[in-house]
Amino acid sequence: MKVTDLHVEYLKNPIGLDEKKPRFSWKIISDENDVVQSAYQIFVESNNRLVWDSGKRESGASVLIEYDGVELNPCTKYDVQVTVWDNKGNEDIIDAFFETGLFSGSNFQAEWITHDFIDDETACPIFVREFYVNKEIESVRIYATSLGIYEIKLNGEKVGDTFFAPGWTNYHKRLQYQTYANEELLIGQNNKIEIAVGNGWYKGIFGFECKPNLYGDRVAALVEVHISYKDGTKEVIPTDTSWKVTSGSIRYSEIYMGETFDSTIQEMKLSDVIVTNFDKNRLVSQESEPVRITQRLPSKEFIITPKGEKVIDFGQNLTGFVEFKIKGHKGQKVTIRHAEVLDKEGNLYTETLRQAISVDNFICNGEEQTFRPHFTFHGFRYICVEGLEEINIEDFTACVLHTQMEETGSFKTSNPLINQLQSNIQWGQRGNFLDIPTDCPQRDERLGWTGDAQVFAGTAAYNYNVALFFTKWLRDLKSEQTVEFGVPHIVPNILGDQGGAAAWSDAATIIPWVVYQTYGDTRILENQYDSMTGWVDYISNQCGSNGLWQSGYQYGDWLALDKEEGADRTGATDKYLVANAYYAYSTDIVRKTARILNKVEDANKYDELYEKIKKTFNVEYITATGRMVSETQTGCVLALHFDLAEEKYRSRILESLTRNIANHKNHLTTGFVGTPYLCHALTENNEHALAGTLLLKEDYPSWLYSVKKGATTIWERWNSILPSGDFEESGMNSLNHYAYGSIGEWMYGKLAGINQHEPGYKKILIKPQFIKGISSVEATFESVYGEIKSAWSCENKKINVTVTIPANTTAVIFLPEKDEPIEVGSGSYSYEYKTETNLELDRFSMDSTLQEILNEPIAINILNQYAPGMLNHPMIEFAYQLSVSEILATGPAETESLFKTVIDQLNQTSTAV
Ligand code: RAM
């Protein structure tokens, strides 16, 4: 038995932590089966002084155990040791450490400094200070933040490997500072610290209107260097009036527009800094993992387009920037333009960027140089290079940038198109989890749309550990929330006051719930509780006398395909049906949360409210005979999946749903709201095969349509690129928009069958469910207890299932085609058994058109025999292009069994292609 991965607040040996009661988690690895932890003991020491001994606790708890010792001090290192005992008589010890940050903005001794470059407005200021060190150094910490985004250099080298600090928060209330460890000071010499500050989100051109100065009109910096000497003395070098400021090589930098870097600029004139003010009480230490370069992609192909553009293809739509090597002549300017796609003629297509032109310029100094921008990022797969005669594509690398979350999921199947879909989902997450969850990384938006984050959160939590990422963002959400306007549509909110909107503002309840479910993190529920209840209470205040929310702006089932063309983008489902479905759903989450947090009175209150909403929902949106007033896919899906419809109505609603799908030749028509739940609703209601059919559809509209069109990320629209190769031209068309990637949750949960049975996966549910067209799946999920694996294949009349359950958890396994669930403890299990099931796709199905069926003589024989005259019907030729399911959606029930027989016969006798 081995104890591994001792983490403090989800992090490995963090520094600059401002959590007063940090929580410890560890994993257990064992060769034995049925291992559970029987006890643990935690020691925390600082400077060899014990500050906490938990005592030996007879307990299986190994996740997020809260520190309960002597009050922690700021800027102090704490060593943690955990001893773990298991039920097999083993014992192991693991060590880690954490170091606290400044704890409070008022502990910053530094002063905010800014500049006054009246006639050099676009250049990024660099604040500079030189200092002399003449003693042996024990450690150096740099605490830093800025209004704008910054990079620090110490003696010419970049400090740390992170980007876009201090990140984007609600600067009106919260601003992160970062802590860096750096021991590289020169002793007996002058050291030089420089901090360059770009406009970033604070002062840059940002938002729909592309206007500057969202939060302020001057960038500024706040830094202090803490040096601890070997002789026990300490020194602090804070920003103050002794610093100087200059403007350097970064002549222009805007997140949307790109950067201009002029390396011919020599040392410029140093000016005095100006001390400025920004409320230090808003400072908080870095709360999530930072943004880093997580991958470097080599160029894949060099293309000269019909227009003569010199283009490099990196083979993957991504978020980041390009780094390149060059030995140009002094003053030579190289321009890099970015695009997600080439148009059908093969030219660079930049319309998806809208006003965010994304152009980087670099001016060479005549030496061998490596360039990359500093304060901008782009969403791109292609670059167009200008200003270079000869292009050597090996000199160009795409740097992939995003919040460096731990990768927790993998998902592979026998179907290459589905594997590409999974890859697109993951890349969508990487491209859009850049400090905040953005809708898209390329155009003049890149905003923290709450709806997009909400629908994708469940999928996101399979692929990466998103606990800290969402913890940070939810604090901003809470800080932007008001009694009057509820929860904004984007966080951080730069759109001003707008009343909350269903499915968007519900991020307030749904995302903390996802984090709790995935990691067993109850603190997020505690911290967000007021925000969660506040959101539900806001809706209650909007309700009319009938107890329903039927007023105000709503996005409805955003971008759904079921509204007539040219109408608004909110889909055909009654917007207030959507609103009230979410009202019930959020209330359900809140009542459960209240119970978990032992707030009994609240729990009862929200129980009552929940029942009331559900009842009224049925009265208003379902007829007395069980028809949805909006018989759209999304309407039906919400009623079923959110468990809103009364039991007696469910079968009819399910029928409406399947009929609606059949009427669309087994295609979806759902938008942002219906899409994440569509396949869940089908699988949960015995229509798993139909969910599989939807997943594997390859023509528009479907998930695989974009895959077949060569997409490497998820598109904003089902038809961002039209079958003709033209682009959707509404002026809102992103090729990297993760919302529809929300199918990932169903793929992990229902296809691979990895689910939590108890919050945080302390108990696991493994329930793989086959679909035709996929004969094997292998998925892993790194839970907070360790790796869970579910792999199955159903090939050559044999089913194989392999399951891994981490130590200190238990699981229930539902094997496909077996009735009895199996209860297991930790360990790896393999099952092999016979089956008659063949998962290869049949040549004929309910999706085949009548014409395809009638091309087979046997079909004609059977139909003539059992339904004489049917094929002579005068209207028959109008049905040739309809699918069987479409024909059946309006035909009598007997025809259904007849066609099933025909299709079975055809599949048995046809030589499958
Ligand atoms: C678009 C965004 C986003 C969506 C909103 C309603 O501008 O890109 O995806 O949530 O509209």
Side-chain angles (χ1 to χ4, degrees):
M1 184 269 270
K2 238 182 110 45
V3 183
T4 63
D5 292 355
L6 174 52
H7 284 181
V8 187
E9 287 300 321
Y10 297 96
L11 297 166
K12 213 174 161 183
N13 300 335
I15 63 167
L17 197 71
D18 275 357
E19 228 17 282
K20 304 275 164 49
K21 286 197 176 286
R23 296 163 300 170
F24 309 112
S25 309
W26 55 89
K27 293 173 186 165
I28 299 170
I29 293 182
S30 172
D31 294 338
E32 293 177 88
N33 280 11
D34 302 320
V35 173
V36 287
Q37 174 182 291
S38 55
Y40 70 87
Q41 182 161 19
I42 305 176
F43 294 103
V44 180
E45 279 185 5
S46 175
N47 280 322
N48 298 322
R49 198 173 65 89
L50 187 68
V51 294
W52 188 40
D53 172 2
S54 69
K56 184 170 177 180
R57 294 177 174 174
E58 311 287 331
S59 160
S62 59
V63 173
L64 298 169
I65 312 294
E66 193 171 279
Y67 173 80
D68 194 18
V70 177
E71 198 178 319
L72 301 176
N73 289 320
C75 304
T76 306
K77 185 179 174 207
Y78 291 90
D79 295 299
V80 186
Q81 183 172 79
V82 179
T83 311
V84 168
W85 292 267
D86 74 9
N87 58 338
K88 308 276 171 169
N90 303 304
E91 174 182 336
D92 194 28
I93 296 181
I94 184 164
D95 295 300
F97 70 84
F98 66 95
E99 187 183 292
T100 49
L102 289 165
F103 270 177
S104 143
S106 55
N107 285 343
F108 260 99
Q109 306 166 30
E111 291 177 294
W112 280 101
I113 52 173
T114 184
H115 66 98
D116 205 0
F117 299 142
I118 298 299
D119 43 354
D120 200 359
E121 195 56 44
T122 72
C124 298
I126 305 174
F127 301 95
V128 193
R129 164 89 146 81
E130 294 195 5
F131 57 97
Y132 193 78
V133 169
N134 61 357
K135 289 192 279 186
E136 289 278 301
I137 285 164
E138 176 73 34
S139 72
V140 179
R141 293 287 180 271
I142 300 172
Y143 302 95
T145 186
S146 65
L147 306 178
I149 40 188
Y150 71 86
E151 253 184 42
I152 304 179
K153 277 187 182 167
L154 193 55
N155 299 325
E157 294 292 321
K158 177 174 159 78
V159 171
D161 55 358
T162 63
F163 290 86
F164 313 127
W168 192 10
T169 47
N170 171 10
Y171 298 142
H172 299 299
K173 299 214 174 117
R174 292 160 27 80
L175 171 66
Q176 294 185 126
Y177 74 88
Q178 287 69 35
T179 304
Y180 305 89
N182 193 307
E183 264 72 76
E184 312 285 306
L185 294 188
L186 306 170
I187 301 173
Q189 289 179 49
N190 247 354
N191 290 275
K192 186 177 179 187
I193 181 163
E194 296 165 89
I195 170 163
V197 188
N199 291 344
W201 297 281
Y202 182 82
K203 162 179 191 320
I205 295 168
F206 218 77
F208 286 117
E209 290 169 31
C210 282
K211 282 207 180 126
N213 302 339
L214 280 174
Y215 294 93
D217 63 0
R218 275 278 173 274
V219 301
L222 181 78
V223 183
E224 55 192 51
V225 184
H226 289 212
I227 310 174
S228 307
Y229 294 106
K230 286 239 159 86
D231 64 6
T233 58
K234 287 184 193 263
E235 188 181 358
V236 176
I237 297 162
T239 42
D240 57 20
T241 49
S242 70
W243 288 56
K244 295 284 173 204
V245 63
T246 181
S247 68
S249 292
I250 307 172
R251 305 310 299 162
Y252 175 90
S253 193
E254 290 289 347
I255 293 177
Y256 286 169
M257 305 303 168
E259 190 163 304
T260 297
F261 187 87
D262 185 348
S263 66
T264 62
I265 303 247
Q266 300 294 325
E267 230 8 41
M268 306 247 308
K269 176 173 126 277
L270 291 173
S271 318
D272 288 340
V273 298
I274 299 168
V275 169
T276 180
N277 229 332
F278 184 85
D279 185 0
K280 286 186 190 162
N281 291 319
R282 293 184 207 169
L283 293 179
V284 294
S285 66
Q286 171 84 24
E287 293 171 332
S288 62
E289 299 90 342
V291 175
R292 288 202 172 88
I293 296 177
T294 62
Q295 195 178 351
R296 287 170 190 271
L297 289 184
S299 314
K300 220 170 160 196
E301 201 187 336
F302 180 64
I303 303 164
I304 301 213
T305 69
K307 281 190 182 163
E309 300 148 322
K310 294 176 182 164
V311 164
I312 296 176
D313 177 8
F314 291 99
Q316 173 64 51
N317 199 19
L318 60 94
T319 304
F321 46 62
V322 166
E323 185 179 85
F324 67 101
K325 278 195 304 215
I326 181 173
K327 188 172 184 324
H329 59 79
K330 191 169 176 189
Q332 182 177 348
K333 177 168 140 192
V334 179
T335 298
I336 305 216
R337 300 178 189 281
H338 300 78
E340 294 188 286
V341 70
L342 303 181
D343 64 18
K344 68 175 179 192
E345 279 80 39
N347 295 310
L348 204 69
Y349 182 80
T350 55
E351 293 298 303
T352 66
L353 311 178
R354 285 198 315 223
Q355 299 171 81
I357 56 168
S358 309
V359 179
D360 293 338
N361 293 298
F362 301 94
I363 299 162
C364 307
N365 65 7
E367 287 164 24
E368 191 157 274
Q369 295 179 282
T370 299
F371 285 124
R372 62 153 174 89
H374 301 77
F375 303 130
T376 187
F377 60 86
H378 314 294
F380 67 100
R381 168 176 168 168
Y382 300 89
I383 56 166
C384 164
V385 185
E386 290 167 11
L388 261 188
E389 271 309 301
E390 288 271 306
I391 291 179
N392 183 2
I393 65 165
E394 274 112 66
D395 293 339
F396 292 79
T397 309
C399 302
V400 180
L401 282 137
H402 53 85
T403 296
Q404 198 182 32
M405 307 156 287
E406 178 199 351
E407 193 169 341
T408 49
S410 71
F411 182 91
K412 247 199 330 249
T413 73
S414 56
N415 184 322
L417 296 175
I418 294 296
N419 297 346
Q420 184 63 45
L421 174 66
Q422 166 65 13
S423 168
N424 295 1
I425 296 171
Q426 264 177 310
W427 275 101
Q429 182 166 358
R430 296 175 74 181
N432 284 298
F433 277 44
L434 193 152
D435 203 58
I436 62 155
T438 56
D439 55 335
C440 56
Q442 76 295 75
R443 71 176 176 224
D444 49 359
E445 214 158 332
R446 315 187 198 186
L447 299 171
W449 283 98
T450 44
D452 306 44
Q454 177 273 108
V455 299
F456 188 64
T459 299
Y462 273 111
N463 285 322
Y464 290 89
N465 187 316
V466 291
L468 294 177
F469 180 80
F470 278 134
T471 299
K472 163 185 175 277
W473 184 71
L474 285 169
R475 286 180 185 159
D476 286 307
L477 179 146
K478 184 176 171 179
S479 80
E480 301 272 17
Q481 185 174 354
T482 59
V483 174
E484 203 182 348
F485 298 103
V487 175
H489 309 173
I490 62 166
V491 172
N493 184 13
I494 55 165
L495 295 183
D497 293 331
Q498 285 166 312
W504 269 249
S505 305
D506 290 281
T509 52
I510 294 170
I511 299 184
W513 190 246
V514 167
V515 173
Y516 165 68
Q517 297 282 309
T518 311
Y519 311 104
D521 190 333
T522 45
R523 191 181 278 177
I524 199 159
L525 297 181
E526 279 159 28
N527 290 347
Q528 296 299 127
Y529 188 70
D530 291 347
S531 159
M532 297 167 81
T533 53
W535 169 239
V536 167
D537 295 348
Y538 169 87
I539 306 175
S540 298
N541 285 336
Q542 307 308 307
C543 289
S545 54
N546 63 354
L548 292 173
W549 183 17
Q550 293 172 316
S551 60
Y553 184 77
Q554 297 292 343
Y555 294 104
D557 187 19
W558 186 248
L559 299 188
L561 301 170
D562 44 14
K563 201 171 213 168
E564 66 276 18
E565 264 177 64
D568 70 7
R569 296 165 171 155
T570 58
T573 311
D574 182 316
K575 286 188 279 240
Y576 295 118
L577 183 157
V578 173
N580 288 294
Y582 270 94
Y583 180 25
Y585 185 47
S586 275
T587 306
D588 190 26
I589 290 174
V590 163
R591 72 194 182 122
K592 287 179 186 149
T593 302
R595 206 140 266 133
I596 291 161
L597 300 180
N598 242 329
K599 298 177 189 285
V600 182
E601 225 171 89
D602 277 8
N604 294 339
K605 175 178 119 190
Y606 290 109
D607 271 351
E608 218 173 278
L609 177 63
Y610 174 70
E611 294 305 336
K612 210 174 90 197
I613 304 168
K614 230 172 116 162
K615 228 199 212 127
T616 328
F617 182 94
N618 278 266
V619 173
E620 180 81 357
Y621 296 112
I622 308 177
T623 70
T625 52
R627 281 185 68 181
M628 295 297 299
V629 299
S630 280
E631 259 185 328
T632 57
Q633 293 180 11
T634 294
C636 298
V637 162
L638 290 177
L640 293 171
H641 183 68
F642 284 175
D643 194 21
L644 298 173
E646 279 175 36
E647 195 50 47
K648 59 181 182 205
Y649 298 148
R650 288 184 69 95
S651 60
R652 182 138 189 213
I653 295 171
L654 180 64
E655 207 183 298
S656 303
L657 174 60
T658 54
R659 199 176 328 113
N660 184 313
I661 296 171
N663 279 332
H664 291 91
K665 288 197 165 61
N666 281 348
H667 287 86
L668 52 76
T669 59
T670 48
F672 275 37
V673 162
T675 302
Y677 308 127
L678 175 60
C679 286
H680 283 293
L682 291 169
T683 301
E684 288 155 2
N685 291 285
N686 284 324
E687 289 288 349
H688 182 66
L690 182 53
T693 304
L694 289 176
L695 178 75
L696 294 179
K697 275 268 162 274
E698 295 178 15
D699 56 343
Y700 167 79
S702 67
W703 284 280
L704 296 185
Y705 168 70
S706 63
V707 171
K708 292 281 270 189
K709 279 275 177 197
T712 58
T713 39
I714 301 291
W715 296 345
E716 178 174 25
R717 292 164 174 275
W718 294 113
N719 62 347
S720 287
I721 301 179
L722 306 174
S724 65
D726 291 325
F727 297 95
E728 202 283 338
E729 272 183 346
S730 62
M732 195 189 80
N733 188 15
S734 138
L735 301 186
N736 195 355
H737 230 80
Y738 54 55
Y740 293 154
S742 53
I743 184 65
E745 188 178 0
W746 180 87
M747 285 159 43
Y748 276 103
K750 302 295 202 293
L751 269 191
I754 299 179
N755 303 278
Q756 42 90 12
H757 205 281
E758 278 172 19
Y761 292 84
K762 181 73 175 155
K763 186 160 186 183
I764 298 156
L765 167 69
I766 301 287
K767 191 176 179 188
Q769 296 176 71
F770 297 164
I771 57 170
K772 266 189 176 290
I774 294 185
S775 62
S776 69
V777 172
E778 183 177 333
T780 59
F781 173 65
E782 185 67 32
S783 74
V784 280
Y785 295 93
E787 185 178 273
I788 302 168
K789 179 175 168 178
S790 170
W792 59 260
S793 67
C794 173
E795 283 155 353
N796 306 323
K797 303 214 159 176
K798 243 195 290 158
I799 294 175
N800 275 293
V801 180
T802 313
V803 174
T804 305
I805 302 300
N808 209 21
T809 68
T810 57
V812 191
I813 305 175
F814 284 82
L815 291 175
E817 301 181 3
K818 296 272 185 206
D819 293 333
E820 288 302 307
I822 310 168
E823 298 262 351
V824 297
S826 67
S828 281
Y829 306 92
S830 291
Y831 307 90
E832 186 180 303
Y833 47 99
K834 289 209 184 88
T835 181
E836 284 307 311
T837 304
N838 174 2
L839 294 181
E840 273 169 45
L841 274 185
D842 289 323
R843 187 168 160 213
F844 296 94
S845 71
M846 293 300 218
D847 282 356
S848 307
T849 60
L850 184 62
Q851 180 74 69
E852 282 164 344
I853 302 269
L854 296 183
N855 286 343
E856 304 296 314
I858 314 170
I860 298 182
N861 282 344
I862 302 175
L863 289 172
N864 282 339
Q865 188 181 344
Y866 292 99
M870 179 173 132
L871 297 179
N872 303 326
H873 191 285
M875 305 294 273
I876 192 80
E877 64 186 80
F878 292 103
Y880 283 166
Q881 290 319 313
L882 296 181
S883 67
V884 175
S885 55
E886 270 177 298
I887 295 168
L888 295 178
T890 48
E894 315 83 78
T895 333
E896 181 164 341
S897 60
L898 177 57
F899 269 97
K900 279 196 173 138
T901 314
V902 173
I903 288 169
D904 278 352
Q905 278 293 320
L906 289 180
N907 285 329
Q908 275 168 37
T909 46
S910 78
T911 41
V913 191

